[in-house]
């Protein structure tokens, strides 16, 4: 199920403004330490449900990104911040699933954002101690990594 803002608001200008406010809300929420602490308290048994929720939020953000006019800088900045925040909360397998979808999108802005997120995630993983063999195998599922040999030291 995707959110069609055109059904809620008839004016395209108002629809973009509403989308921007929604995306700004997601960005603020996903950067909230309070949210992170609450999610950590849920424990590992709830991890799959949380990851599914993150994936659904990413899907909605992608719909907004695809439908947004390129000239709306504020909306695109809020989308970038939201996607960046969520990718940091996703497990490696969830991140790879989102990346696969992003990299196959027809919109070059979406594919470019996917590459930026991927680069940031790999750099963060390298900084935090490297990439395990299992993680490398997950990244190997991405189209352009399948032909590369990823080493655990990245």
């Amino acid at each position: 199920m995707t959110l069609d803002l055109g059904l809620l608001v008839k004016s395209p200008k108002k629809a973009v403004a509403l989308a921007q406010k929604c995306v700004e809300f997601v960005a603020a929420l996903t950067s909230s330490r309070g949210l992170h602490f609450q999610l950590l308290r849920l424990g590992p048994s709830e991890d799959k449900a949380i990851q599914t929720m993150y994936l659904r939020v990413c899907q909605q953000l992608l719909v907004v990104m695809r439908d947004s006019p390129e000239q709306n800088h504020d909306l695109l900045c809020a989308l970038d911040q939201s996607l960046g925040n969520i990718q940091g909360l996703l497990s490696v397998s969830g991140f790879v699933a989102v990346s696969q979808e992003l990299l196959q999108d027809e919109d070059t802005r979406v594919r470019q954002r996917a590459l930026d997120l991927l680069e940031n995630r790999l750099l963060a993983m390298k900084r935090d101690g490297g990439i395990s063999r299992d993680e490398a195998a997950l990244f190997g599922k991405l189209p352009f990594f399948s032909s590369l040999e990823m080493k655990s030291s990245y």
Side-chain angles (χ1 to χ4, degrees):
M1 181 179 148
T2 59
L3 177 63
D4 186 354
L5 295 176
L7 294 176
L8 297 174
V9 182
K10 297 300 178 198
S11 162
K13 196 172 191 177
K14 287 184 179 181
V16 170
L18 177 59
Q20 182 177 334
K21 292 299 177 193
C22 290
V23 173
E24 288 171 354
F25 172 75
V26 170
L29 184 63
T30 56
S31 64
S32 163
R33 285 184 177 205
L35 171 71
H36 298 180
F37 288 129
Q38 288 176 354
L39 294 175
L40 287 172
R41 277 190 234 131
L42 292 175
S45 63
E46 302 296 328
D47 191 53
K48 184 172 172 107
I50 293 168
Q51 293 296 312
T52 301
M53 177 195 66
Y54 290 151
L55 290 171
R56 287 186 180 150
V57 170
C58 282
Q59 289 170 339
Q60 293 299 317
L61 291 172
L62 291 175
V63 169
V64 172
M65 182 181 275
R66 286 182 197 124
D67 295 344
S68 68
E70 283 186 53
Q71 66 274 16
N72 192 312
H73 179 74
D74 293 337
L75 175 57
L76 294 176
C77 285
L79 280 164
D80 278 348
Q81 182 182 359
S82 295
L83 285 170
N85 291 349
I86 292 172
Q87 75 84 16
L89 299 171
L90 286 168
S91 65
V92 173
S93 60
F95 176 76
V96 168
V98 169
S99 296
Q100 284 176 317
E101 183 175 341
L102 287 168
L103 290 169
Q104 295 174 7
D105 197 274
E106 292 178 14
D107 189 331
T108 56
R109 293 177 300 162
V110 173
R111 290 194 311 270
Q112 180 60 50
R113 184 60 182 140
L115 291 172
D116 293 343
L117 290 170
L118 183 60
E119 178 184 28
N120 292 339
R121 181 71 175 243
L122 289 171
L123 289 172
M125 291 173 77
K126 180 180 178 184
R127 181 189 67 235
D128 294 340
I131 299 171
S132 71
R133 288 181 185 253
D134 291 340
E135 292 167 338
L138 287 170
F139 281 106
K141 293 179 180 181
L142 294 171
F144 56 89
F145 277 121
S146 59
S147 60
L148 300 174
E149 183 178 324
M150 289 187 62
K151 300 189 187 231
S152 60
S153 62
Y154 178 67

